[in-house]
Amino acid sequence: GNSVTQMEGPVTLSEEAFLTINCTYTATGYPSLFWYVQYPGEGLQLLLKATKADDKGSNKGFEATYRKETTSFHLEKGSVQVSDSAVYFCALSDWSDKLIFGTGTRLQVFP
Amino acid sequence: EADIYQTPRYLVIGTGKKITLECSQTMGHDKMYWYQQDPGMELHLIHYSYGVNSTEKGDLSSESTVSRIRTEHFPLTLESARPSHTSQYLCASREHGQGNTEAFFGQGTRLTVV
């Protein structure tokens, strides 16, 4: 079945550091890929998405590129802020519309 | 801001009680989902629906049940709550599509069974 694997956290960074959170997936066919973010005490909200190979999703300085050859969708940001501290989830969805999440990675950014 | 609402936000209840967690959306979405989020943050799909009168069990076995009598409403019921049901429950909805549409989440219900 479909699955998503993402790096364990927590990831601890200083403000303005470069961020990478790794995500790989297993799926048949051509799934859509997503990154969601969850701030403390809140539900999840979409950060970015990519729906086909080589697409790059971007939002709020975050980027991720759909790499079919490596089945990856790594999240990057060039300069993190304290306000980026949250839990980040990689997810995939195929034609059946079931949305499958990775285990989440907690990011802590210190001033 | 997403138009999907969950009530209550927090619930502490005794073992053996029947509870219903409410989820409503005003976006007209056909597809709705319930996830259970454990303390380690992982999200487990427990129920989903593709429209009125359609309900399916998710990947994680759950003693809860759901119903979908109206498009906008997708309540989750536990007939007899147990401490093992203590968790955060998240409801989501999305437009019909080929798996490429955004899912909108409610703020969650944090359930504690004592």
Side-chain angles (χ1 to χ4, degrees):
Chain A
N2 296 343
S3 65
V4 175
T5 302
Q6 61 182 104
M7 63 189 287
E8 289 191 21
V11 173
T12 304
L13 295 173
S14 297
E15 205 164 25
E16 299 183 4
F18 183 85
L19 168 71
T20 300
I21 300 177
N22 291 336
C23 171
T24 57
Y25 68 90
T26 301
T28 55
Y30 303 94
S32 293
L33 302 174
F34 305 82
W35 277 101
Y36 283 82
V37 58
Q38 184 177 32
Y39 297 101
E42 301 293 324
L44 279 68
Q45 53 187 273
L46 180 68
L47 181 61
L48 53 84
K49 71 176 185 180
T51 58
K52 60 183 187 297
D54 300 324
D55 265 3
K56 178 187 283 189
S58 61
N59 185 26
K60 299 181 182 178
F62 291 90
E63 293 182 341
T65 301
Y66 189 142
R67 301 283 188 202
K68 188 160 179 64
E69 64 275 13
T70 54
T71 62
S72 65
F73 192 55
H74 305 320
L75 183 68
E76 296 182 336
K77 187 175 186 183
S79 176
V80 294
Q81 305 300 312
V82 173
S83 57
D84 294 326
S85 297
V87 180
Y88 292 81
F89 291 89
C90 186
L92 72 79
S93 180
D94 64 12
W95 60 269
S96 71
D97 264 345
K98 284 172 65 175
L99 193 56
I100 305 299
F101 288 89
T103 52
T105 302
R106 185 177 302 277
L107 170 65
Q108 298 173 321
V109 181
F110 293 96
Chain B
E1 188 171 322
D3 294 322
I4 178 164
Y5 308 100
Q6 290 185 244
T7 57
R9 285 292 307 274
Y10 303 93
L11 178 62
V12 180
I13 200 161
T15 298
K17 299 291 187 183
K18 177 180 178 178
I19 58 170
T20 297
L21 307 185
E22 301 288 349
C23 177
S24 294
Q25 51 96 4
T26 58
M27 297 173 281
H29 290 166
D30 285 330
K31 309 208 171 189
M32 296 189 75
Y33 308 82
W34 276 104
Y35 290 87
Q36 185 173 336
Q37 186 172 29
D38 62 27
M41 305 176 304
E42 192 164 355
L43 288 156
H44 303 283
L45 179 66
I46 53 174
H47 298 284
Y48 59 102
S49 168
Y50 287 165
V52 170
N53 294 326
S54 150
T55 60
E56 302 286 343
K57 289 190 179 295
D59 301 322
L60 179 69
S61 176
S62 173
E63 293 165 350
S64 58
T65 59
V66 293
S67 63
R68 189 91 183 274
I69 299 171
R70 302 197 316 266
T71 297
E72 60 270 23
H73 195 212
F74 191 41
L76 181 146
T77 298
L78 278 165
E79 290 293 334
S80 179
R82 295 210 301 267
S84 60
H85 296 139
T86 294
S87 191
Q88 163 120 301
Y89 293 84
L90 291 170
C91 180
S93 73
R94 68 198 297 203
E95 274 185 46
H96 178 78
Q98 298 300 310
N100 58 5
T101 58
E102 176 182 357
F104 294 88
F105 282 80
Q107 291 189 297
T109 293
R110 185 166 296 282
L111 172 66
T112 303
V113 184
V114 298

